[in-house]
Amino acid sequence: MTESNKKCRLVILISGRGSNMQSIVETIKSKPLPAEVVAVIANKADAQGIQWAKDQGLVTEIVEHKRFADRQQFDKKLAQVIHQYEPDYVLLAGFMRILTPEFVQQFEGRLINIHPSLLPLFPGLHTHQQAIDAELQWHGCTVHFVTPVLDHGPIIAQGIVPVHHDDTAERLAERLLPIEHHVYNQVVQWLAEGRVRLLPNGRVQVSDQPHRAFVA
Ligand code: GRF
């Protein structure tokens, strides 16, 4: 952040387990990072990560998508709730909802996602199985700025793991998860330090960071 003692305000959106969220929260706690998680929001009342966040004393909110007639209305409410917390960045961490362009545009340049593939390969679901089926020898994850196109947008960082010849989708997902945590934490650190810029040409620049690639 530019002002010396201002902390970077983060809202994290989850749908389930929330291990990426947990890892970000723990990293912020353990390092002297100028960042704070001001709210964790889930679109499902039974999202496991919400209980964990509550136990940590974090502010939590549930905005259940199933209570809304359509995507537009859900996104409108979700945006209202997020705005209350005045975040510098909104981090999607296993948030399994497609967001409307109206929602994305409101948070342009401040909305970040992690996707479990080396984008632009394999947007959408079943990324691990797709990597196996394609006989890729490397699989990975991408942290990127969100645009209205699903799992698409300027890439901030990527991490890779090897694919083993006898992998199942479950085993590969398990191998990838620690590098997901590592890459997302690294990006949060860069964001908190005010080092990430989304350039007018759509490219990303991270100051003093010549490489943004991580290997397990
Ligand atoms: C992660 O693999 C993330 O990349 C994907 O969904 C999974 C969520 O895991 N979008 P968690 O909820 O962070 O544990």
Side-chain angles (χ1 to χ4, degrees):
M1 296 270 87
T2 41
E3 288 171 49
S4 55
N5 52 5
K6 186 180 178 303
K7 285 192 176 178
C8 179
R9 296 172 64 81
L10 304 172
V11 165
I12 306 184
L13 268 52
I14 65 168
S15 293
R17 179 177 59 182
S19 73
N20 277 285
M21 175 273 293
Q22 294 182 25
S23 155
I24 290 167
V25 168
E26 277 163 355
T27 299
I28 291 172
K29 241 192 239 168
S30 66
K31 285 189 181 183
L33 271 188
E36 60 182 323
V37 175
V38 290
V40 177
I41 304 174
N43 65 310
K44 290 180 174 181
D46 61 356
Q48 285 164 261
I50 280 291
Q51 190 53 51
W52 183 89
K54 276 188 185 153
D55 293 344
Q56 303 300 305
L58 294 170
V59 173
T60 61
E61 299 265 8
I62 308 284
V63 185
E64 276 190 295
H65 66 274
K66 64 181 184 192
R67 291 182 185 272
F68 294 84
D70 56 33
R71 218 176 266 292
Q72 273 72 21
Q73 291 185 40
F74 167 68
D75 279 10
K76 203 172 160 201
K77 177 67 183 171
L78 182 63
Q80 270 174 12
V81 173
I82 295 172
H83 283 307
Q84 287 172 11
Y85 294 98
E86 301 181 343
D88 294 297
Y89 292 100
V90 178
L91 308 179
L92 308 180
F95 186 68
M96 306 302 280
R97 296 290 303 169
I98 294 174
L99 295 162
T100 55
E102 294 74 28
F103 180 96
V104 172
Q105 277 149 16
Q106 283 180 64
F107 297 100
E108 205 189 340
R110 297 191 290 143
L111 190 56
I112 315 277
N113 182 42
I114 184 158
H115 182 72
S117 82
L118 288 173
L119 290 175
L121 285 177
F122 314 141
L125 298 173
H126 311 300
T127 57
H128 313 298
Q129 191 59 52
Q130 290 190 71
I132 291 168
D133 292 346
E135 294 192 65
L136 292 193
Q137 302 303 302
W138 293 98
H139 182 42
C141 63
T142 304
V143 175
H144 65 99
F145 282 104
V146 175
T147 66
V149 184
L150 178 70
D151 297 328
H152 182 271
I155 292 172
I156 307 174
Q158 290 185 313
I160 56 169
V161 293
V163 181
H164 295 174
H165 71 94
D166 56 352
D167 262 344
T168 59
E170 291 70 30
R171 276 204 291 264
L172 186 51
E174 203 180 313
R175 189 173 315 116
L176 183 62
L177 197 61
I179 191 102
E180 285 192 37
H181 296 168
H182 181 73
V183 174
Y184 219 165
N185 279 315
Q186 187 58 77
V187 169
V188 166
Q189 179 162 347
W190 296 338
L191 293 171
E193 292 168 349
R195 291 165 58 196
V196 182
R197 280 183 63 209
L198 184 52
L199 302 175
N201 65 5
R203 287 178 177 261
V204 175
Q205 193 178 61
V206 181
S207 54
D208 303 321
Q209 191 61 42
H211 76 88
R212 305 186 326 251
F214 299 90
V215 185

